[in-house]
Amino acid sequence: MNVSILYEDDYIVCASKPNNVVVHHAHHSRNVADEASLLQLLQEQCGEKMYPIHRLDRKTSGILLLAKKSEYVAKFQELFMNNQIQKTYYGIVRGHAPETKIIDSPVKGRDANVHKEAETHLEMLKTVTVDIPVKPYDTSRYSLVKLMPKTGRLHQLRIHMNKISHPLIGDPKYGDKNHNMMFLENFNCENLFLHARSLEFIHPYSNEKLEIIAELPEDWNTVFERFGW
C-alpha cells in the first residue's frame, strides 16, 4: 500500500491515512499485529523513521502530521493544545443535519471513567433524500457535513454526531446498523465516512501559513455520484 504524501519539508511530513489503518501498534499488540501500521508503511516508503504529532482513529481517513525528528514534535503539539490549528473533517451522516450547530457535550477520555469537555462546530453542506427504504421508512435521508472540532477527545466526532441523532455512516460503534447495511448493499461501501479533510496553521519553524488538503477516498466519489453531489 502506497501512502499519499501531501506535504513535506525539513521538519514534517503530512500523509493521507487510508481507512482501517492504525497509526502505530500499541506495545502489547505489536507482536500479534499482522497488518502494517501507517508508521511502518511510511518508514518503508520514505526510508526514515517518523514521529506522529497527533492521532487519528483507525477507521478515520485523512490528514496526519508526522515529525521527522522527535525533538520537533513538541512545537507542533503546542499548536494543537493552543487551538492554533484549524482542523476540518467531512462526514456523511444519517438524516438532514441542521445548517449549523455547536455541539458542546463532554466525552469520556482515554481514561474511560472521566468525562472531559468537548466541542464540535458543524456546518451542513448538502442533503439528499434517496428512494431506498431503510427501516422503518420508505426512503432514506443523508447529509454531507463539515465538522470542526475545537477539542481533540477520543472518538469525539463520532460520539457528537450520534448525540444529535445524525450518526456517521459506516460507524460500527456509534452508528445506525440499518443505514450502514444500506450503504454496503447498495454502494458496496462499508468504511467509516469520516475524513480529516484539511489542516490550516502557521508553521512554528518557518512561520509559513499552510493549508493542507487531503482528497476524499474513492468510496466518497461513488456515493457523491449516486447522490448527485
Side-chain angles (χ1 to χ4, degrees), residues 92-94 142 167-171 176 179-180 183 189 191-194:
I92 297 177
V93 300
R94 180 190 75 188
Y142 302 100
L168 286 151
I169 300 301
D171 191 331
D176 181 319
H179 287 268
N180 294 350
F183 268 65
C189 295
N191 285 329
L192 173 66
F193 278 89
L194 179 63

Side-chain angles (χ1 to χ4, degrees), residues 31-91:
N31 295 332
V32 295
D34 56 358
E35 66 210 35
S37 69
L38 189 76
L39 287 184
Q40 289 168 329
L41 291 169
L42 282 169
Q43 189 165 348
E44 285 171 23
Q45 192 172 314
C46 303
E48 57 183 314
K49 190 173 181 182
M50 294 180 199
Y51 305 86
I53 292 163
H54 60 121
R55 295 184 177 98
L56 270 187
D57 277 359
R58 176 201 183 99
K59 292 193 173 296
T60 306
S61 59
I63 288 187
L64 191 79
L65 274 186
L66 306 108
K68 289 190 169 180
K69 293 185 179 176
S70 58
E71 56 262 37
Y72 299 152
V73 171
K75 264 194 188 298
F76 287 94
Q77 283 185 339
E78 275 176 30
L79 298 180
F80 283 96
M81 289 168 65
N82 298 330
N83 225 0
Q84 292 173 311
I85 287 192
Q86 174 66 63
K87 296 178 284 184
T88 301
Y89 290 72
Y90 278 9

Side-chain angles (χ1 to χ4, degrees), residues 93-96 159-168:
V93 300
R94 180 190 75 188
H96 286 178
I159 292 168
H160 273 177
M161 294 317 296
N162 181 43
K163 185 97 178 172
I164 64 165
S165 300
H166 294 291
L168 286 151

Side-chain angles (χ1 to χ4, degrees), residues 15-16 23 27 53 60 70 80 99 117 122 124 127-128 133 140 158 175-176 186 193-194 197 200 202-203 216 225 227:
S16 186
V23 174
H27 287 286
I53 292 163
T60 306
S70 58
F80 283 96
E99 285 197 11
E117 290 299 312
L122 175 150
M124 184 269 289
T127 60
V128 70
S140 41
R158 296 165 65 183
D176 181 319
N186 291 276
F193 278 89
L194 179 63
R197 171 74 169 158
E200 285 181 68
I202 292 172
H203 196 299
L216 295 165
E225 208 170 288
F227 287 178

Side-chain angles (χ1 to χ4, degrees), residues 181-191 219 222 226:
M181 188 57 69
M182 185 287 240
F183 268 65
L184 179 59
E185 289 175 352
N186 291 276
F187 310 138
N188 197 30
C189 295
E190 61 180 329
N191 285 329
D219 277 1
T222 302
R226 292 291 293 269

Side-chain angles (χ1 to χ4, degrees), residues 7 11 22 27 29 47 62 68 72-73 76 96-98 104 112 114 117 125 127 134 143 147 177 206 216 224:
Y7 174 85
Y11 302 93
V22 292
H27 287 286
S29 67
K68 289 190 169 180
Y72 299 152
V73 171
F76 287 94
H96 286 178
D104 186 359
V114 180
E117 290 299 312
L125 301 176
T127 60
V134 177
S143 303
L147 301 169
K177 65 178 187 297
S206 69
L216 295 165
F224 278 28

